[in-house]
Amino acid sequence: MTSGPELLNRRGVAVLACVGLACGLLSGLFGIGGGTIIVPALVWLGLSQRHAAATSLAAIVPTSISGVVSYATEGNVNWIAAALLALGVIVGSQLGSLLLSRLPEVVLRWVWVAFLIFVIIQQITFTPPREGHLVLHVWSGAFLVLLGVVTGALAGVLGIGGGAIMMPALSFLFGASDLMARGTSLLVMVPGALSGTAANWKRGIVHLKSGLIIGCCAVLTAPLGTMAAGWLTPRAGSLLFAAWLAVLAVRSIWTALKVTRRA
């Protein structure tokens, strides 16, 4: 197991700290774990897509804890829905870790690009309500567990917390407000990221020290992002998130093309 010594020189630590600060801000603002920032940054620093995704998942643990505390204090967490989602996410994250260790690098790159494009389209076409209520019954509870399995598998492969999947699903399918969806998503990320990181640790593909540097720095700025989320309208938040992902998608397509040519 390596802790990523090539990342822990002075330049690397400074980059990791800056990534963590930005990650915390966007985590609180958009209700995501921050993998959309962490993975490209770690790839830029020289990690493979596989190791970057595994390390990102480790960084998401403290990031999501900080974000969910801020949302919970405002009453924007549905604990029952989070528990049902978490059951599925824990199972799905094990599958995701297995796929992450076995899929070719070029496949991982293009799965990441497809995911970014999907979320961009979703953010542009759907605006979550600010005043909404998450209603649970037997069938919706079962569907939440299934959603958790799918989210956990994708989160494990991509190195994300899964908020970009859960947040729109909670609003669109279950009627949750945008703030409730973000807070609930962040809570679910904690057991999912822990489960996936444990599996990645056993497979020797996570750079734990680098992930902890990012995560601890993210804790400092996540509350600021949560405050900003309350100031923005749901539509403005969706468009800002889509714009950020569009920038990442352009760079990710470029790097995926280069990896494909080499392959």
Side-chain angles (χ1 to χ4, degrees), residues 1 27 35 69 93 97 161 165 169 180 190:
M1 172 65 59
S27 175
V69 168
S93 63
S97 175
I165 304 167
M180 178 68 73
V190 179

Side-chain angles (χ1 to χ4, degrees), residues 4-243:
E6 69 277 11
L7 301 183
L8 299 182
N9 55 34
R10 184 175 301 177
R11 170 180 170 273
V13 170
V15 172
L16 293 174
C18 291
V19 168
L21 294 173
C23 174
L25 185 64
L26 293 185
S27 175
L29 181 60
F30 298 127
I32 59 174
T36 53
I37 309 168
I38 302 169
V39 172
L42 290 176
V43 169
W44 180 73
L45 283 172
L47 292 188
S48 68
Q49 186 78 17
R50 188 185 328 278
H51 286 78
T55 304
S56 172
L57 209 58
I60 284 168
V61 176
T63 304
S64 54
I65 291 175
S66 178
V68 77
V69 168
S70 301
Y71 277 97
T73 55
E74 299 295 327
N76 287 316
V77 174
N78 188 304
W79 300 90
I80 297 177
L84 293 170
L85 279 166
L87 287 175
V89 165
I90 291 172
V91 174
S93 63
Q94 300 301 307
L95 174 60
S97 175
L98 177 64
L99 292 172
L100 179 63
S101 66
R102 296 188 177 184
L103 287 175
E105 178 79 6
V106 66
V107 173
L108 292 172
R109 297 272 186 168
W110 284 111
V111 169
W112 174 256
V113 169
F115 168 76
L116 290 177
I117 293 173
F118 168 77
V119 178
I120 289 170
I121 295 172
Q122 177 271 321
Q123 290 292 312
I124 292 174
T125 57
F126 173 67
T127 301
R130 176 54 51 92
E131 300 297 331
H133 300 282
L134 201 160
V135 179
L136 293 176
H137 47 74
V138 174
W139 288 110
S140 62
F143 189 74
L144 280 171
V145 175
L146 178 60
L147 174 63
V149 173
V150 174
T151 300
L154 286 173
V157 170
L158 298 172
I160 60 173
I165 304 167
M166 289 184 286
M167 186 184 66
L170 287 172
S171 292
F172 181 69
L173 299 175
F174 297 94
S177 70
D178 62 322
L179 297 179
M180 178 68 73
R182 290 170 186 169
T184 303
S185 296
L186 283 169
L187 177 57
V188 177
M189 290 177 206
V190 179
L194 280 171
S195 176
T197 298
N200 290 334
W201 173 270
K202 292 178 181 178
R203 294 185 171 94
I205 57 175
V206 60
H207 295 234
L208 192 57
K209 288 183 181 178
S210 300
L212 289 177
I213 291 172
I214 295 172
C216 290
C217 290
V219 167
L220 302 175
T221 52
L224 297 177
T226 304
M227 291 173 57
W231 299 335
L232 290 173
T233 65
R235 185 59 180 165
S238 294
L239 292 178
L240 277 176
F241 191 32

